[in-house]
Amino acid sequence: MRFRRGFLLAGALSWSALSLPYAAAAQSVAPAVAQPTAPVPIVRAIEIRSDAQVNLAEVRELLSIAVGQPLDESRTRRTLRSLRYSGLASEVAIYERPAASDVAGGEKTPLAAVPGAAVGEGVVAIVALWTDVQVTAVDAVGDLGLRKSRLLQELPQRSGQPLREDRLLRGVYRLQDVLIGEGFLQAQVRLEVATAASPATGATGAAGASGASGASATTAAAESLASPPASTAQVTYRIAAGPRTRIRKVTFAGASPQFRDAELLKATPSPPGAPFKKKSASESVERLQSWLFARSYREATVELKAPVLDSATASADLAFDIHLGPRIDFEVQGATLRELKKNDLVPFLGDSGYDEALVLQSIDQIRRYFQEKGHYRVAVTKTETREADRVRLLFEVVPGPRFTLDELSFTGNASYDSDRLRRLMSTSPRRFLLPRSGRLVDEELSADLSNLRSFYLLEGFDHSQVGPARIDERGDRLEVVVPIVEGRRRIVTELTLEDMTPLDAAKVREALPLKSGGPFHRLLLERSADTVRALLEDKGYGAAIVSSDVVWSPDDLQAKVTLRAFAGEQWVVDRTLLRGLRKTKPKIVRRFLGIQPGDPVRRTAILDLQRQLYGLGIFSRVDVRVAPGSEGGEARELLVDLEEGRSRSISTGIGYDSETGARALLRLSQGNLFGRASSISLDLLGSRAEQHFRLIYRQPYIGPFRAELLGSIYDEHEDRPDFSVDRRGGQLVLGREFGHWSLQTIGSFRLVELDPGPEDVEIPRDSLNARVASVTPTASYDRRDDPIDPTRGWNSTLQLEYAFPLLSADAHFLKLFSQATGYLPLGRFGVLAASARGGAIEPLSAGLSPRDALQSSVPAAELFYAGGRTTHRAYRRDELGIRGDTLDVASSDGKPFPKGGGGLALLNLELRFPVAGPVGGTLFLDGGNVWSDYRDVNLDEFKWGAGLGVRYLSPVGPLRLEIGWKLHRESFEDPFVWFISLGNPF
């Protein structure tokens, strides 16, 4: 038996005694060094030996040594490194013995001491693993004092993890800290670890021509592994919490005669009789201070003395020292105190207390506030009068007249026109539909001038001067003139790239901020070096070095720049190691890796991998990194550390909108079914107008393909303004994302039952109840910056539904729908959003007129309807249409009744602008209509509406209150409608 190579890893705890002889062997034996002339032996068979049960298939995947290949240093080192980082074993060693003979009782001899074998003489490679002790259970018993679930959450050692001594000890200290912090000052925690052994296992990898097998348990490696060590452990924390210390009395010093102890006691969360908690005692200091601030003692300080503890009675006495300081009386003239507090303009009246810096900050904020309202010449003065026990603070605000910024101009800007410079400033003359334009604010103007200075510096004007601005008054109009002295300009006359072999030099030049013939600035040079470094890292050169050299002309205005790159060794992926999986099957996760052996280690690929794994919805933590320790030029392991999240959840929600009223949602879900990353959920939604039941199954792959499978069955009831619809059926969705593209194919079968409203409006009987079988391919392209509340970018969707007779299904039609939405950011003025939607239905019944074919082939519930909070906000839900065609008017009450149509066209334009914090406003223009035949769509028949609204950006999306007016109202129509809803209309 010859010892080929050994690796000692950190053992779990001292009872892993089995590995010690091998650890000693690994440390005492010199690494195998192939003699220059000695041939390397060929592997004829591989045996895997372990002191405990291991997943042999998983071990084999990590082997770089293979039957028929040389047992060289590189393959041996890669195998040891992969097994080490995989977490399958705490210690690893590789032995070899001649394949031709089964040497019973042979000694472990260093390879360096054995003459090299001739080519063709094979060896059996024995991979020996000493596994970690795995924790099967963690428990807390005894007099716990607190809930067990809370105590177990504090422990770093969890069930399913390898046993680690530092985790165990940190758990002891952590439990003691938690219990003492909760008032159990005499708490004691003892640790018990019960271990169990499992039988050793042996397995043969692949036998070569020599016929050697792994059944020879008499080999030295097998004999040493036969004595089973501790393999599993149960961890128990025995807790004796003892009595809980309670507060006996609380005293205050320094606050009388202004305040009685009883008043102060009400302001603390630690009254007598309450449990003594360190956190509550600290909070008492803050609460008392805030309480005193609110009573105008804004310079008050509170100090908690060391608690007096009595272990005999398990009690604690608290004492607070209070220094009140003078009373601060604040008064404001020229404005109301309520207005200032509402806009958070007087921070020294908050929890921070009285401070001169906060007072000065308040003056600046008040000045800005009034300037934003148009009072540019506002004056804010402060008067402070101090007495022994009182401070009188007076703010006098003189708003002055309102001004409108009428013109913004520049002088001395020879290189750039004024329009370009204006686009760099937030200060803007008055513009129609742009809120807050035409207001001059000193703070914003100062920031704009600083921005212009940075612009000129980055354009090479290193001695430029911008400002100070001149402000001229013409009645109630203001003109701002910004003087500019450009000075000299530094440019790059030549940009040379050296040693860019791994990169395309032409593409590098395109990506660089520094351009030949362009401006020079040191920041542009640093950004260019960073850009080259990032491009090299994206090719796998993680240790690349980029240097720069600048040679100046005699006049110091022209620069010759050279960028040099030292790429170093390329990092490529050897294999990807998944760690931390407990329930999830590794082969399922590997389908989503997207990184293959031999691929460069790219930062973008790693980030994409993290996104893919988080997208499965089963991991609470995903950490991807490159394993350290690889020698130069060698492939590297990619370590993927995963932490599985909770698989079972119950969630509830409530909401309201003006169309369906109050609603409630209950969702029950079970994720990661059978460890295969699939999930099932049950959704129950109820409101005044809607009741939904939906059972959904999701699987993020289809066989070996990374495509999502979504199946659902549902039963839905919906009360619309003029009829009710019941839908029951099932749906199967196949989808895949390709970058910004999303492709889906939807197959569905549904039963549709429609109950009409007014008796004097007739709907054909065959349109009321229908069975629809359809296939709907859908393509979407999304370039938005945020799917919930986008501010820039665009997205589009195109879908075509084909309904066909199948079994009992009788609907037969083609339905096309498309939508495109764009978002244009306007800086501080908000976002301009626009949407265009269109649809067409082609009935496939031959020999009938378009209207008759539509009624006979297309159920009424499948037609197009418009009007409402997401389509046209000047009309109630479904009430947009053409009278006598897609809209009937009941003779009894003049109420419009939608009939639906086969053609749809909608245009929406909306300005979303900020008001204050999460509150914003909207101005919108909606237009469109519904036609019975899509061939009749006519822009002249568009109905238009305009309106305004208020938005509140909540964590789950914008909450909207909007009102829309009809611009061309018919006699039976209301002049306006209003909506309350959640989410954007498009």
Side-chain angles (χ1 to χ4, degrees), residues 369-412:
Y369 171 74
F370 278 93
Q371 286 182 345
E372 288 176 344
K373 297 175 68 175
H375 301 279
Y376 177 70
R377 299 298 185 188
V378 59
V380 184
T381 59
K382 179 199 75 166
T383 303
E384 181 179 292
T385 305
R386 280 192 174 265
E387 300 175 1
D389 58 351
R390 188 177 298 271
V391 174
R392 290 184 171 87
L393 181 64
L394 172 65
F395 277 8
E396 293 182 89
V397 181
V398 181
R402 287 181 179 270
F403 291 93
T404 300
L405 179 58
D406 193 50
E407 187 175 349
L408 175 61
S409 60
F410 306 87
T411 61

Side-chain angles (χ1 to χ4, degrees), residues 144-158:
L144 303 183
L146 301 174
R147 294 194 313 274
K148 179 188 290 190
S149 58
R150 179 184 173 185
L151 295 175
L152 294 179
Q153 287 177 354
E154 302 289 341
L155 299 176
Q157 179 69 70
R158 302 294 178 89

Side-chain angles (χ1 to χ4, degrees), residues 743-756:
L743 304 179
Q744 288 185 335
T745 299
I746 306 171
S748 66
F749 185 91
R750 56 191 181 273
L751 307 178
V752 183
E753 299 178 359
L754 186 146
D755 183 17

Side-chain angles (χ1 to χ4, degrees), residues 119-335:
V119 176
E121 180 182 346
V123 296
V124 175
I126 301 176
V127 181
L129 307 174
W130 289 268
T131 57
D132 274 315
V133 177
Q134 298 292 322
V135 176
T136 59
V138 179
D139 198 7
V141 298
D143 176 19
L144 303 183
L146 301 174
R147 294 194 313 274
K148 179 188 290 190
S149 58
R150 179 184 173 185
L151 295 175
L152 294 179
Q153 287 177 354
E154 302 289 341
L155 299 176
Q157 179 69 70
R158 302 294 178 89
S159 175
Q161 294 179 340
L163 191 66
R164 295 290 182 264
E165 188 172 4
D166 64 318
R167 293 177 185 169
L168 296 176
L169 295 179
R170 283 190 286 123
V172 173
Y173 298 140
R174 182 61 183 157
L175 290 179
Q176 287 179 334
D177 290 342
V178 169
L179 290 168
I180 292 174
E182 290 292 328
F184 298 95
L185 304 184
Q186 302 176 36
Q188 294 182 354
V189 180
R190 292 189 301 109
L191 174 65
E192 291 184 1
V193 179
T195 61
S198 64
T201 61
T204 302
S210 66
S213 73
S216 55
T218 59
T219 63
E223 289 175 351
S224 298
L225 293 171
S227 178
S231 177
T232 62
Q234 293 185 341
V235 177
T236 304
Y237 290 90
R238 295 197 175 275
I239 299 173
R244 193 169 199 176
T245 302
R246 296 188 173 273
I247 299 174
R248 182 167 53 189
K249 66 177 180 178
V250 181
T251 58
F252 305 90
S256 60
Q258 289 88 340
F259 302 103
R260 299 189 306 273
D261 286 0
E263 294 178 273
L264 298 171
L265 195 58
K266 292 180 180 178
T268 68
S270 304
F276 170 70
K277 301 180 183 179
K278 291 184 177 180
K279 183 178 179 181
S280 297
S282 300
E283 289 176 352
S284 296
V285 174
E286 299 176 4
R287 293 271 292 271
L288 275 172
Q289 206 160 29
S290 298
W291 188 85
L292 294 170
F293 287 168
R295 281 146 186 82
S296 299
Y297 288 90
R298 301 194 168 276
E299 292 184 345
T301 59
V302 180
E303 180 184 357
L304 174 64
K305 292 184 176 181
V308 178
L309 305 177
D310 186 349
S311 58
T313 60
S315 61
D317 297 338
L318 303 183
F320 296 89
D321 275 345
I322 300 176
H323 175 70
L324 290 177
R327 177 184 174 93
I328 310 295
D329 292 332
F330 176 68
E331 183 182 354
V332 60
Q333 296 178 359

